[in-house]
Amino acid sequence: RPQDDDEAARLYRKAADQGDTLSQYLLAICHEEGRGVPRDEKEAARWFRLAADQGDADAQLKLGLLLQLGGDGVPHDHAEPARYFRLSADQGEMEAQAQLGLLLRFGGDDDVSKDLAESARWFRLAADQGDAISQHSLGCAYLEGLGVLADPCEATRLFRLAADQQMSEAQLSLGRMLCEGYADVPADKRAGARLVAQAAQRAAETDDEEMRDEALELLRSYADEPEVVAVCCIGCGAHHRWMTKCSECHISRFCSSECIKNMWPTHRPSCQSWQAEQATDSSSGLFGAGSGELDVPLSMHER
């Protein structure tokens, strides 16, 4: 057994030169990652191609990805990636099925034509193996009728499968559907808000600022909805049990004084409106109507 990367690369090279498919694949990985040999994407592609042309599904997938992205000494291409993705996908390789679905969904310049029905077919195969990207992509296809008959209920089911794998895009898609209601899918703003908040938090954990901003923007668009602001902080998407209530309206929950300060311009109109409603509905003065010139409520009541 190789004791280090240098020794492993040497042994892989010896077997690869004799045509061993697995060694060709492993040597390509060494070149791709710079383990035991200098990092060299062109050399990695050469060895991936040798293994791929012997029918190795993993090598076909890796070669397709390298050619699709391009790199040092590797020309960017669309036609060849599609061919190698298909070879790998035909052997049941889940990621290759997903990649082929994406390529057929969007097309590849003049090299690969869009084929929405074929794209959906490959997404289905990968989704059935549990691939979250394919579950979400196929859900979008069912939502919009892209290559399949539109079916919001099936879209919801697929979004939920991907969301259960902590995929922020799926959490956001499902959350939006539940917040807004869609065809045969009834609205459930509380459940939808939790999912959108989860998307924002997950995106923050993975440094996906664009996704985080999109999720928070959606949450803040529901700043006047009690069912939404009562379950998550519209400042950052936090939704833990220790959040505290705004000390003025007693409805919106925030995770910190910092968030309520930052969100006060957004929250203020609803806060004042809810206070007025509470004052009208109650003669006991429990809530207090407040004035038209409220300061930022710095104190916050516990749950």
Side-chain angles (χ1 to χ4, degrees), residues 22 28 37 58 75 95 100 106-107 113 119 129 132 164 170 174 178 182 202 217 230 281 288 299:
L22 177 58
V37 290
D58 291 330
E95 187 178 349
L100 186 55
F106 299 106
S113 300
S119 169
Q129 292 194 67
D164 286 344
L174 180 58
L178 293 177
Y182 198 98
R202 178 63 179 161
E217 182 179 359
D281 293 341
S299 62

Side-chain angles (χ1 to χ4, degrees), residues 16 19 21 24 44-56 59 63:
T21 304
Q24 290 170 342
R46 184 174 79 84
W47 287 109
F48 279 138
R49 190 182 297 276
L50 288 170
D53 288 345
Q54 292 196 68
D56 186 89
L63 179 59

Side-chain angles (χ1 to χ4, degrees), residues 32-108:
E32 184 181 39
E33 299 179 357
R35 295 172 55 183
V37 290
R39 187 174 182 277
D40 187 336
E41 290 185 339
K42 184 177 180 180
E43 190 69 0
R46 184 174 79 84
W47 287 109
F48 279 138
R49 190 182 297 276
L50 288 170
D53 288 345
Q54 292 196 68
D56 186 89
D58 291 330
Q60 290 163 347
L61 169 63
K62 294 288 284 184
L63 179 59
L65 291 170
L66 262 181
L67 294 171
Q68 185 179 52
L69 295 174
D72 295 335
V74 181
H76 174 69
D77 198 319
H78 277 116
E80 271 214 300
R83 182 169 75 85
Y84 280 107
F85 287 151
R86 190 178 295 276
L87 288 170
S88 182
D90 282 338
Q91 296 188 63
E93 174 59 50
M94 181 180 72
E95 187 178 349
Q97 292 169 343
Q99 290 295 331
L100 186 55
L102 289 169
L103 201 52
L104 292 169
R105 163 75 64 84
F106 299 106

